[in-house]
Structures are given as C-alpha cells and as structure tokens.
C-alpha cells in the first residue's frame, strides 16, 4: 500500500483529505505542521506528501527543501495545496523541489491524477 503524508494546520482539511486518500487505498499519516512533517519523513519516508502552502512556523517551501536534502528525500512526490493560481508562488514551490500543486477545493480526481502521474 502506498503511504501518503498530509501536512495541514486545518483539522477539517486534514479530515477531508484523509477520507479522499484512504478511498484511493493510501496508508495515511497526517500532521499539523511542517516541523512535524519533516520529523515523520526522517523516521519513514512516505511515497507522497500533500502539503498546505500556507503553514505557520516553518514554510512549506522550507519543508520541501529539507525533505529533498534527506537520504532518499528525492523519492516522495510532493504536491502543494494552494488557495489560488498564483504564478509567482507556483514558480517558487516548483523551484524548491515540489512535483506539482492542486487548488482548493480539490477532489478525489485531483489527488488521484497527481499521485498516479
């Protein structure tokens, strides 16, 4: 079973995303911060990460840079969750090492498309 890590500070978004991912047969782990997310990745790298672009304390961009620096950190697909289609922000996340992004509100098809690509 593929493992996915959800990183979002909003409990409702984590719950919705978890349900979608479990329906797609992912083994799901969720955390509420980028710091917790990098700690999870140090313990056991997931196959994919869905991360909110707007996180408190440590930015999502800092998370993906730190993830990519880990041994094996190039492997997980990292998909950012964005509120709007901001070309500047998209360029920054892609330059940092993200594999793509989805816009809120997203659905099962959006997640399936990003992780089956």
């Amino acid at each position: 079973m593929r493992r996915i890590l959800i990183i979002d500070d909003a409990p409702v978004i984590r719950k919705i995303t978890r349900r979608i991912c479990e329906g797609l047969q992912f083994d799901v782990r969720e955390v509420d911060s980028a710091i917790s997310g990098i700690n999870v990745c140090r313990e056991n790298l997931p196959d994919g990460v869905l991360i909110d672009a707007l996180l408190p304390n440590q930015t999502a961009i800092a998370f993906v840079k730190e993830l990519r620096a880990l041994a094996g950190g190039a492997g997980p697909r990292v998909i950012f969750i964005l509120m709007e289609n901001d070309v500047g922000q998209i360029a920054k996340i892609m330059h940092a090492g993200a594999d793509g992004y989805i816009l809120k509100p997203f659905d099962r098809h959006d997640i399936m498309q990003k992780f089956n690509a």
Side-chain angles (χ1 to χ4, degrees), residues 21-85:
C21 292
E22 287 176 341
L24 293 170
Q25 304 304 306
F26 281 102
D27 177 26
V28 178
R29 179 121 185 232
E30 61 182 78
V31 296
D32 64 358
S33 72
I35 295 166
S36 296
I38 203 65
N39 289 334
V40 167
C41 290
R42 283 187 184 119
E43 293 171 15
N44 190 7
L45 280 173
D47 299 303
V49 177
L50 274 166
I51 183 168
D52 185 10
L54 300 174
L55 291 170
N57 300 325
Q58 182 188 21
T59 68
I61 289 175
F63 165 84
V64 75
K65 287 180 179 179
E66 196 168 342
L67 170 67
R68 297 302 190 213
L70 294 175
R77 287 189 59 79
V78 178
I79 305 299
F80 274 65
I81 302 169
L82 303 174
M83 290 290 293
E84 60 187 354
N85 203 356

Side-chain angles (χ1 to χ4, degrees), residues 20 71 88 93:
I20 292 170
I93 65 171

